[in-house]
């Protein structure tokens, strides 16, 4: 099939590349010429495991094209995916102006019917608005079919998530569009749930909000474990054996970040409000999430007492491993809080340091984890990069001024760290070395 994907962010770029790899001819479009130039030079503008070779392979096979020419892409394809950004406005609503611009461009350009698919995360009823724009601006009285096809891929495992989804959601009232979408996704051999457009739109916000709720729930449990002297890892394990609960998304820590959960939870609260429902549960999810950063900093203060001029080493800046994405990363809030108390921060992240420079000022960016630990009064793990688990922690400890280790992701072996001589503090984990 011939497909246009408008917007080359995480979702658009991964979806477009994967559609091409499935044998389709795909035009990926962006208004950002710099980005398109980077992609046309064979490079990938984002760090996403496995994506660059897949782009290269499909560009070479002449199935994947990058362009700023939206009209050409619209004219040469039958299915048009809208995958542009829906960033939060200052009031928390999703800004849908990019979505509207694309719908209008499709309407004004298309000379024959098209299937227009919303891939971006959008509030319920956006499909209706897109349909209205398409109807209003077509000079040729074309009847467009609108589909909601939310994406559930995660950064860091995006290609795998796209190619092996738990489910594919296709919301449309058009039989024809349903058939075409079914054929498009058939090679993935995944469960396809067909719904109406509005239900599909809500599935996306409800899914992200539910996952965020799970994280805040286990963070609340971690705080109780801290106070009671229990171990949240065991509690989560015990809960997770219940198939109705499941094991995933029960890792406590310094809270969720990234460009999806914070923005989508806020947007869903606003959507609910507009539909006459006060989603207090989600408001509390947000509160708990922000509170985790404060609780973590308090743990550091409890042990180090005054932070003024103390050197604090930070391992990991990205909002999660395997990405260089710094948007709404908990590390930003935590470092700012520590700096507010006068601490001197040195940090290392395997891939996110370049991007972090825009968000975090006046810190020393180091070339590796050992340089971060040197002469530090405390070491903080803020992203659970696998390579941090492999560090020579005896060497790390030997170079520090004081042996305080605060694991904001519960990723290190607490007993092993204590046996090396660290004063180890996790989130909801009781260790014998804790200074009460
Ligand atoms: C999330 C969803 O998982 C995807 O399904 C969705 O498609 C995507 O948002 C989106 O809407 O675009 P993503 O933000 O890439 O994906 O990352 P996640 O792996 O979900 O992690 C989000 C945050 O939650 C991270 O900061 C992570 O550290 C944190 N987290 C996750 C926890 O604190 N505990 C957990 O148990 C799991």
């Amino acid at each position: 099939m011939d497909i246009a994907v408008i917007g080359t962010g995480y979702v658009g770029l991964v979806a477009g590349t994967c559609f091409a790899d499935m044998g389709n001819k795909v035009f990926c479009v962006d208004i950002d010429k710099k980005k398109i130039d980077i992609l046309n030079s064979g490079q990938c503008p984002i760090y996403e495991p496995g994506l660059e070779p897949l782009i290269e392979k499909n560009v070479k096979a002449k199935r994947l094209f990058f362009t700023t020419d939206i009209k050409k892409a619209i004219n040469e394809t039958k299915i048009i995916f809208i995958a542009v950004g829906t960033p939060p406005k200052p009031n928390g609503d999703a800004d849908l102006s990019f979505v509207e611009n694309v719908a209008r461009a499709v309407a004004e350009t298309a000379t024959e019917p098209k299937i227009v698919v919303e891939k971006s995360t959008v509030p319920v009823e956006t499909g209706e608005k897109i349909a209205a724009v398409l109807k209003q601006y077509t000079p040729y009285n074309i009847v467009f079919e609108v589909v909601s096809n939310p994406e559930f891929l995660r950064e860091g495992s995006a290609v795998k998530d796209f190619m092996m989804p738990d489910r594919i959601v296709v919301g449309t009232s058009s039989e024809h569009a349903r058939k075409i979408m079914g054929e498009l996704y058939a090679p993935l051999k995944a469960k396809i749930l067909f719904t109406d457009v509005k239900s599909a739109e809500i599935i996306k916000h409800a899914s992200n909000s539910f996952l965020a709720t799970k994280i805040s729930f286990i963070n609340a449990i971690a705080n109780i474990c801290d106070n009671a002297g229990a171990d949240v890892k065991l509690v989560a394990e015990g809960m997770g054996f219940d198939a109705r609960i499941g094991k995933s998304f029960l890792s406590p820590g310094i809270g969720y970040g990234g460009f999806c959960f914070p923005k989508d939870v806020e947007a869903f609260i606003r959507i609910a409000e507009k539909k006459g429902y006060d989603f207090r549960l989600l408001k509390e999810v947000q509160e708990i999430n922000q509170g985790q950063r404060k609780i973590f900093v308090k743990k550091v203060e409890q042990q180090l007492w005054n932070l003024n001029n103390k050197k604090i080493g930070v391992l990991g800046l990205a909002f999660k491993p395997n990405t260089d994405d710094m948007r709404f990363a908990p590390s930003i809030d935590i470092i700012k809080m520590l700096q507010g108390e006068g601490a001197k921060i040195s940090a290392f992240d395997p891939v996110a340091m370049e991007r972090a420079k825009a968000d975090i000022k006046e810190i020393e960016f180091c070339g590796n984890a050992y340089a971060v630990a040197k002469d530090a009064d405390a070491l903080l793990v803020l992203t659970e990069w696998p390579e941090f688990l492999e560090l020579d922690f005896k060497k790390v400890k030997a170079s520090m001024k004081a042996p305080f280790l605060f694991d904001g992701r519960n990723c290190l072996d607490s007993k092993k760290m204590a046996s090396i001589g660290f004063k180890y503090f996790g989130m909801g984990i009781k260790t014998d070395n804790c200074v009460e």
Side-chain angles (χ1 to χ4, degrees):
M1 290 182 200
D2 293 350
I3 298 171
V5 180
I6 320 294
T8 58
Y10 275 96
V11 168
L13 188 55
V14 173
T17 306
C18 292
F19 282 139
D21 203 54
M22 287 154 67
N24 303 290
K25 183 175 175 191
V26 181
F27 290 89
C28 284
V29 182
D30 208 293
I31 46 170
D32 185 344
K33 189 174 176 303
K34 244 198 216 154
K35 215 179 200 185
I36 292 299
D37 288 344
I38 291 173
L39 285 160
N40 275 327
S41 74
Q43 285 170 295
C44 184
I46 50 172
Y47 177 86
E48 184 59 46
L51 186 57
E52 198 165 276
L54 211 62
I55 291 175
E56 206 186 329
K57 174 183 158 197
N58 286 285
V59 167
K60 265 195 192 142
K62 300 211 177 322
R63 285 192 296 261
L64 182 57
F65 302 89
F66 297 104
T67 177
T68 53
D69 189 347
I70 188 168
K71 288 189 175 160
K72 180 174 161 27
I74 293 167
N75 280 328
E76 296 199 7
T77 58
K78 288 258 179 286
I79 313 173
I80 297 151
F81 281 82
I82 304 179
V84 291
T86 54
K89 291 201 266 194
N91 69 0
D93 283 348
D95 181 351
L96 298 171
S97 48
F98 299 123
V99 174
E100 182 179 346
N101 291 347
V102 175
R104 195 168 164 162
V106 173
E108 288 172 347
T109 309
T111 52
E112 52 184 45
K114 309 275 175 191
I115 296 175
V116 179
V117 188
E118 9 162 279
K119 195 69 166 157
S120 311
T121 301
V122 290
V124 63
E125 295 175 347
T126 301
E128 283 181 353
K129 303 241 167 56
I130 290 174
V133 169
L134 290 166
K135 194 168 172 198
Q136 189 175 335
Y137 290 101
T138 168
Y140 308 106
N141 278 334
I142 288 169
V143 179
F144 294 94
E145 294 155 287
V146 175
V147 175
S148 167
N149 171 221
E151 184 48 56
F152 301 101
L153 62 80
R154 291 162 295 178
E155 291 180 22
S157 54
V159 173
K160 182 179 148 278
D161 287 348
F162 189 93
M163 292 299 208
M164 289 189 278
D166 289 339
R167 80 306 204 182
I168 291 159
V169 174
V170 173
T172 181
S173 56
S174 154
E175 267 307 318
H176 171 255
R178 177 185 286 220
K179 186 174 158 282
I180 299 287
M181 293 298 287
E183 286 170 13
L184 174 64
Y185 279 112
L188 297 186
K189 297 190 176 19
K191 160 83 195 153
I192 304 181
L193 176 71
F194 292 103
T195 69
D196 58 282
V197 174
K198 288 184 195 175
S199 301
E201 289 167 337
I202 289 187
I203 286 171
K204 172 66 192 189
H205 270 115
S207 299
N208 272 6
S209 298
F210 187 78
L211 291 168
T213 304
K214 258 188 126 176
I215 298 169
S216 280
F217 187 88
I218 201 65
N219 278 329
I221 301 294
N223 297 335
I224 298 170
C225 288
D226 258 340
N227 296 343
D231 186 333
V232 72
K233 280 192 185 175
L234 294 174
V235 174
E237 195 183 352
M239 290 167 63
F241 277 119
D242 188 326
R244 294 169 301 174
I245 297 173
K247 288 187 196 305
S248 59
F249 276 70
L250 288 181
S251 300
I254 48 181
Y256 60 76
F259 199 54
C260 300
F261 287 173
K263 143 178 107 63
D264 292 350
V265 169
E266 178 65 27
F268 207 28
I269 291 170
R270 305 273 307 169
I271 293 164
E273 214 167 84
K274 286 184 189 150
K275 294 287 137 204
Y277 181 70
D278 180 7
F279 213 148
R280 283 177 300 163
L281 175 64
L282 284 188
K283 291 178 184 169
E284 194 52 37
V285 165
Q286 289 182 316
E287 280 287 311
I288 294 172
N289 194 55
Q290 280 310 114
Q292 289 307 107
R293 281 105 157 130
K294 293 182 196 142
I295 287 170
F296 184 72
V297 170
K298 209 168 147 204
K299 276 178 194 267
V300 178
E301 282 177 327
Q302 265 169 359
Q303 302 302 320
L304 268 66
W305 193 16
N306 296 303
L307 298 185
N308 198 27
N309 277 327
K310 295 219 166 117
K311 182 184 166 182
I312 296 186
V314 169
L315 296 183
L317 296 167
F319 84 97
K320 67 174 203 172
N322 295 322
T323 179
D324 60 351
D325 200 341
M326 283 296 298
R327 291 174 296 178
F328 298 97
S331 64
I332 300 173
D333 294 335
I334 289 171
I335 288 173
K336 281 185 182 159
M337 280 187 255
L338 295 169
Q339 284 177 327
E341 293 298 321
K344 303 273 170 261
I345 310 291
S346 56
F348 169 71
D349 187 286
V351 300
M353 288 200 290
E354 230 9 79
R355 286 200 172 190
K357 282 175 189 164
D359 299 297
I360 309 172
K361 306 288 178 202
E362 291 171 22
I363 76 170
E364 184 197 356
F365 289 101
C366 298
N368 58 55
Y370 299 104
V372 166
K374 191 165 182 317
D375 295 329
D377 296 288
L379 195 59
L380 276 43
V381 180
L382 302 188
T383 316
E384 67 277 36
W385 280 96
E387 68 180 74
F388 294 156
L389 313 187
E390 308 299 325
L391 289 173
D392 178 348
F393 276 98
K394 282 189 185 144
K395 185 174 156 189
V396 168
K397 185 185 159 284
S399 71
M400 291 173 65
K401 271 198 187 139
F404 291 107
L405 178 55
F406 297 89
D407 182 356
R409 299 294 187 171
N410 285 355
C411 60
L412 301 172
D413 181 337
S414 58
K415 289 206 172 76
K416 187 176 158 203
M417 294 303 129
S419 74
I420 291 172
F422 279 110
K423 290 191 182 304
Y424 173 91
F425 301 88
M427 300 293 276
I429 299 172
K430 181 83 176 163
T431 43
D432 295 338
N433 64 72
C434 298
V435 178
E436 297 290 346

